[in-house]
Amino acid sequence: MNRISVLAKQLAPLSVEDEINLEAVSTAAKTEEKSKDTLTVTDNRTGKSYTIPIKNHTINATALKQISFDNEGIMSYDPAFQNTAVVTSRITYIDGDKGILRYRGYPIEELAEKSTFLEVAFLLINGSLPSKSQLDVWNSNIMTHTYLHENLVSMMRTFRYDAHPMGMLISTISALGTFYPEANPALAGDGIFKNERIRNKQVYRIIGKLPTIAACAWRHRVGRPYNEPVAHLSYTENFLYMLDRLSGVPFKPNPVLARALEIMFILHADHELNCSTAAMRHISSSVADPYTAVAGAAGALYGPLHGGANEAVLHMLEEIGTVDNVAAFIEGVKGRKKKLMGFGHRIYKNYDPRAKIIRRTAYEVFEVLGQEPLIEVASKLEKAALEDEYFISRKLYPNVDFYSGLIYKAMGFPKDMFPVLFTIPRAVGWMAHWIEHQEDPETKIYRPRQVYLGSDERPYVPMEARGGDAAVRSQDYYSSGTAKRVHLHEKKKSK
C-alpha cells in the first residue's frame, strides 16, 4: 500500500508552487545557455562591463560604440581586414587549417574533375548545380553574348602596339559599360538591379565577352588581326580559337589544352572575399554599374601581390636556374636573403587544395607540349621545402600560384598575360558576389572608419610669414630625355 501511495504522489498534478519553481529553473537554464553566446568586455578605464551578443562566431562592430570614454566610443582597428568580416555569404567556404575549399558546398576537387567551367559558373551564380536542360540554356546564353560591338573593337585597335594586355582589358571592360546605358543605375535609376532579368543580362554579357576582350588584347600585342568568336566550341575552346586561329586555316584547339584551361578556370573562379572580390563589393555598394565594378576589381587583381603572384614564382624559378642550386636557395630563404614565392597563404595553413590539382594538370600539359625545363626545379624546391622543419613549423605549403605559372608558360603565354588569364574566371566569382550583394538586406554603402593621428587645428599663416621651406616629403620625380632637354633650355633662359 505504501508503494501505491508513493506512485500516486509522483503521478499527481504539480502544485502551483512546484510549477513556479520548475519555470524558474527552466528560465535560469535558458538564461545561462543564452549568456554563453555573448562576450563580456570590461573597460579598465571606467570599470564598467558590457555584454555583446555573439552570432556566427562574430560580434557586431557597432556594438563596440557603447564602450565609451570621454564621449568617444571604441572602434576596432584592423589594417588589411585580417580579422574582420564585412558580409555574410553562401558562395565559397574555406577552412585554411584543413586545406578545404568548397563552392556552394561542393569540394573543389570534385568540381575540377567532373564539371565544366560554365557548369561551375552556373553553380556559383545560381547556388545549385544545373540540370542538363538548364546547363544547355545557360551555355547558349553565355556563348551568344561573346561578340563585341564594332566601336569597342575599333577602340581597342587604338592602343599602342606594346600596350599591356591587362591595361587593355581593364580599360575595355570599363568602356563596355558605356554601350549599355539601360544597365547604368546613374542613368536608369538606382533600383534597376532589383529586376532579375536586368541582372541576368549583365551576367551573360560580362562572362561571355571577357574571353573575347582578352583574346583581342593578345592578338593586338602580337600584331595579328582579331578573331571573332564562334558558338560551336566550348567556352575554353572558343577562347583558344580566338587566340590562335590563323586566317583561312581550319582550326580546333587541342582538347588536352582546352581541358587544362578549363580546370585552371574552375580553380580560379572564386576564393571568398579576397582583395579583388572585396573591391568588387566595395564599388558595387555605391550602386555603380557592374562594368565599372568589374574594371575596378580587375585593377585590384592587376597588382603583383594578387594576380601577379604566379609571375613572381616564375621569376624565382628562373633565378634558381637548375636543380643543383635549390639547396643554396633554400638556405638563402632561411637566412632571409631570398624570398620563397608560391608558398604560404594568408588563409591556408595547410596544402592549398588547388595546388594538388594544378600539379597533376601541369604534367598532363607537358605530355602534349613537352617538358617545361623549370618543372624539375619546381619539384625539387617543393620536395626540399616540405621536408625542412623551418618551412613545416611555419606551415608554408605550395599554393595555387606555384604551378599555375609553369602551365601558362608551357602553353605559350607570356608573363603579362597571366593576370588576364586570372581575370576571365574570377569575373564569375565577382558576379556571384555582385548578385549576393544586391539581394543582401544588410547592404549599405561601404564606409570604413579611420584613426586620425594628424595635427589639431592650426592657425593659417600668410605666405610672407611662413619663413623657410616646409618640411614635407620629397617632391622629386623622374623625367624623360625630352623633358631633360627642355629643362636645360628653361634653366639657360632663367640665367
Side-chain angles (χ1 to χ4, degrees):
M1 199 65 185
N2 287 338
R3 289 175 61 195
I4 294 174
S5 298
V6 170
L7 284 170
K9 187 175 181 181
Q10 288 177 344
L11 295 172
L14 292 173
S15 67
V16 173
E17 184 179 346
D18 287 336
E19 286 183 351
I20 291 171
N21 288 338
L22 276 177
E23 188 177 343
V25 171
S26 175
T27 303
K30 286 180 181 176
T31 303
E32 184 180 351
E33 184 180 344
K34 190 176 181 182
S35 68
K36 290 179 182 177
D37 292 327
T38 60
L39 178 72
T40 301
V41 180
T42 301
D43 187 344
N44 293 325
R45 299 170 302 178
T46 62
K48 291 182 181 179
S49 291
Y50 303 84
T51 300
I52 301 173
I54 297 173
K55 182 180 179 182
N56 298 325
H57 304 289
T58 67
I59 62 168
N60 194 316
T62 57
L64 296 175
K65 287 182 178 180
Q66 64 182 302
I67 307 173
S68 63
F69 184 72
D70 288 343
N71 294 320
E72 284 192 21
I74 286 284
M75 292 190 298
S76 60
Y77 180 63
D78 187 10
F81 302 117
Q82 295 181 82
N83 193 39
T84 296
V86 295
V87 298
T88 55
S89 181
R90 293 171 175 80
I91 300 170
T92 295
Y93 171 78
I94 300 173
D95 186 328
D97 291 330
K98 295 178 181 177
I100 294 172
L101 171 62
R102 298 179 192 140
Y103 292 165
R104 300 286 190 177
Y106 294 95
I108 191 65
E109 296 86 348
E110 285 192 72
L111 294 172
E113 180 185 351
K114 300 172 182 177
S115 285
T116 64
F117 172 67
L118 286 187
E119 185 179 16
V120 172
F122 183 100
L123 168 68
L124 285 169
I125 287 172
N126 297 294
S128 298
L129 287 170
S131 66
K132 186 181 184 308
S133 60
Q134 284 177 314
L135 183 58
D136 288 343
V137 171
W138 172 260
N139 288 347
S140 175
N141 287 340
I142 298 293
M143 297 308 293
T144 53
H145 284 84
T146 54
Y147 277 84
L148 301 179
H149 194 289
E150 275 301 305
N151 291 159
L152 194 68
V153 173
S154 298
M155 188 206 79
M156 291 191 73
R157 290 196 177 104
T158 65
F159 280 96
R160 278 176 55 96
Y161 70 94
D162 59 350
H164 195 293
M166 193 62 176
M168 291 185 66
L169 181 134
I170 292 169
S171 303
T172 306
I173 293 170
S174 181
L176 188 61
T178 66
F179 288 80
Y180 309 116
E182 82 285 357
N184 189 337
L187 303 174
D190 61 8
I192 58 171
F193 292 129
K194 291 176 183 176
N195 185 320
E196 274 194 340
R197 296 177 73 246
I198 295 177
R199 288 207 307 255
N200 291 341
K201 184 71 170 178
Q202 314 325 309
V203 169
Y204 300 145
R205 282 170 171 165
I206 287 171
I207 298 175
K209 295 180 192 304
L210 261 175
T212 311
I213 293 171
C216 289
W218 160 255
R219 300 280 292 193
H220 186 88
R221 188 68 179 273
V222 296
R224 292 179 180 173
Y226 303 170
N227 281 323
E228 291 186 348
V230 291
H232 65 277
L233 297 175
S234 73
Y235 191 80
T236 54
E237 284 177 329
N238 180 58
F239 178 51
L240 290 171
Y241 171 89
M242 290 187 290
L243 290 174
D244 296 335
R245 175 187 170 270
L246 296 174
S247 180
V249 179
F251 179 76
K252 185 174 182 181
N254 182 284
V256 174
L257 300 185
R259 180 57 191 164
L261 197 59
E262 193 121 45
I263 292 170
M264 299 287 281
F265 280 9
I266 289 171
L267 298 179
H268 285 98
D270 192 55
H271 205 241
E272 201 214 52
L273 210 63
N274 51 77
C275 176
S276 57
T277 305
M280 179 75 186
R281 282 195 179 247
H282 200 130
I283 296 169
S284 298
S285 75
S286 73
V287 199
D289 69 89
Y291 303 94
T292 298
V294 167
L301 188 144
Y302 193 3
L305 293 183
H306 189 5
N310 50 12
E311 183 178 344
V313 172
L314 270 187
H315 285 307
M316 176 191 70
L317 295 175
E318 288 167 350
E319 180 189 339
I320 296 171
T322 67
V323 292
D324 297 332
N325 298 327
V326 169
F329 181 82
I330 288 286
E331 291 305 311
V333 172
K334 290 157 72 172
R336 299 185 180 277
K337 296 176 182 176
K338 301 286 185 182
K339 280 190 176 182
L340 181 63
M341 310 304 297
F343 276 72
H345 196 282
R346 184 186 285 189
I347 299 295
Y348 294 111
K349 305 307 174 190
N350 203 321
Y351 207 107
D352 184 337
R354 300 169 299 172
K356 296 177 183 177
I357 303 166
I358 281 185
R359 193 179 195 280
R360 185 173 65 247
T361 304
Y363 283 96
E364 292 170 358
V365 170
F366 299 154
E367 283 183 17
V368 174
L369 295 172
Q371 187 84 340
E372 167 55 46
L374 291 176
I375 190 64
E376 294 179 7
V377 179
S379 297
K380 177 80 172 178
L381 180 63
E382 179 185 14
K383 186 173 185 295
L386 292 178
E387 293 175 352
D388 194 305
E389 184 57 32
Y390 177 89
F391 302 101
I392 295 170
S393 64
R394 290 164 173 77
K395 297 184 177 180
L396 295 174
Y397 300 94
N399 59 39
V400 70
D401 300 307
F402 189 68
Y403 282 103
S404 61
L406 287 172
I407 295 176
Y408 289 145
K409 183 174 185 291
M411 291 179 71
F413 292 108
K415 297 186 190 80
D416 59 10
M417 273 294 287
F418 291 1
V420 173
L421 296 168
F422 195 165
T423 300
I424 296 171
R426 184 52 60 86
V428 167
W430 294 337
M431 295 309 290
H433 282 268
W434 177 70
I435 289 174
E436 191 173 66
H437 180 83
Q438 304 300 324
E439 297 175 346
D440 188 347
E442 294 182 317
T443 292
K444 289 181 176 145
I445 186 169
Y446 282 19
R447 178 60 170 86
R449 301 292 301 276
Q450 67 166 13
V451 178
Y452 178 72
L453 297 177
S455 303
D456 286 334
E457 184 177 358
R458 298 192 285 182
Y460 183 81
V461 180
M463 178 68 73
E464 59 274 11
R466 289 177 197 170
D469 291 343
V472 296
R473 61 184 182 80
S474 171
Q475 304 295 297
D476 289 342
Y477 64 97
Y478 68 89
S479 300
S480 66
T482 303
K484 286 177 181 177
R485 293 196 301 273
V486 172
H487 291 160
L488 283 174
H489 176 71
E490 295 296 329
K491 218 172 185 181
K492 188 177 178 182
K493 278 177 61 179
S494 64
K495 285 183 178 178

